[in-house]
Amino acid sequence: MIICRFRLGLPGGLLAAALSTMMLSGCLAAGPEASAGLGGLAFSRAAPQKVQVADDTVVIAGPRGFCVDVRATRDGQQGAFVLMASCAALTGRENAPMPADPAILTASVASRPGTGGREEDRAIRLAQFFTSEAGLAALARDGRADSVVVHRMYERDRLFLIHLTDSSENAGEGLSTTYWRALFEVNDRLVTASVVGFEDRAIDDKTSRAVLRDFAAHIRAESKTLAPAHSVEDPAPEQLVMKKEP
C-alpha cells in the first residue's frame, strides 16, 4: 500500500513548486506490500535501474545497487514520486546488485516548472521558507510543523541540502527518522531527493551526504538527453517509462 499525502490550494511561485514537491515526499510504502525496510520484504522481478517521469522531462536513476520499486512509484498530475531500494531486495535474486551503503532513496518531481531566478536568490528563499511553519509542515510526512526539526541547511554545487528529523507517526517502519534531503532543478523541474537509512543499520552523516550527491548527479546526468518515450509493450532496456495516472 502506498500512503501519499496531497494538499491543494498552494500559493504561486517558488513556494508552490517547493510544496508540491515536498508533498509527494510524504509518500511511503507501508504494510505487507512494502519493500525491504518499509514494513517487510517484497520481491518484484520488475526492478529497473531508472524511470522517466514528469511528462518525460526527468529521469530518476540512483547509484549502483539501487533499483526502482515500481509499486511505490507514482507519476500523475500532482507530480512524480519514485522510491529506490536494493536491487537484490526488490528482485529476490542473490546475485542482483546491492548498494554499498544500505538505505532507501526517494525522489519527487514537481508537476510544474521550477523556481527560476538566480541560484543564490533561490537558496536564500528556500532557507527562509523551510524555517517557517509552512515550510516545516511541508517537510513533515504528517503535515504537522511540530513534527520536524531542521538541524542544518546549506547550498553547495547547486544542491540545497536539508538535514532534518521527522517524528511523524506514519514514518516508514524500521527507517531512521533523521536524514538528508536535497532540492535542485532538472530541465526546469524542481526535484527533491532523499537518502534515508535504517534504524538497525545506521548510515553516518558523511556517507549520507555522499550518497545523496551521487543520487543527484545520476539524475542530472540521465536527464541531460532524454531518449524518446517507448511504449509499454517495448520498454527501453533497464528503463521503465511510467504512464500518467488517470
Side-chain angles (χ1 to χ4, degrees), residues 1 30-35 38-42 71:
M1 176 176 63
E33 297 179 359
S35 299
L38 294 175
L41 182 64
R71 286 170 295 184

Side-chain angles (χ1 to χ4, degrees), residues 160-218:
F160 186 81
L161 299 165
I162 306 175
H163 188 215
L164 64 110
T165 295
D166 183 356
S167 59
S168 299
E169 292 185 1
N170 62 342
E173 181 181 349
L175 294 180
S176 173
T177 58
T178 300
Y179 62 97
W180 285 87
R181 281 183 174 177
L183 283 80
F184 54 101
E185 287 196 18
V186 175
N187 295 336
D188 295 326
R189 294 294 184 105
L190 188 63
V191 178
T192 300
S194 301
V195 174
V196 185
F198 299 100
E199 289 182 344
D200 60 349
R201 288 174 288 170
I203 178 172
D204 60 64
D205 279 354
K206 183 177 180 180
T207 302
S208 294
R209 291 195 302 271
V211 174
L212 187 56
R213 288 193 296 269
D214 196 14
F215 188 20
H218 276 77

Side-chain angles (χ1 to χ4, degrees), residues 143-154:
R144 297 170 56 89
D146 57 3
S147 295
V148 168
V149 175
V150 173
H151 305 292
R152 187 181 179 191
M153 291 186 290
Y154 65 95

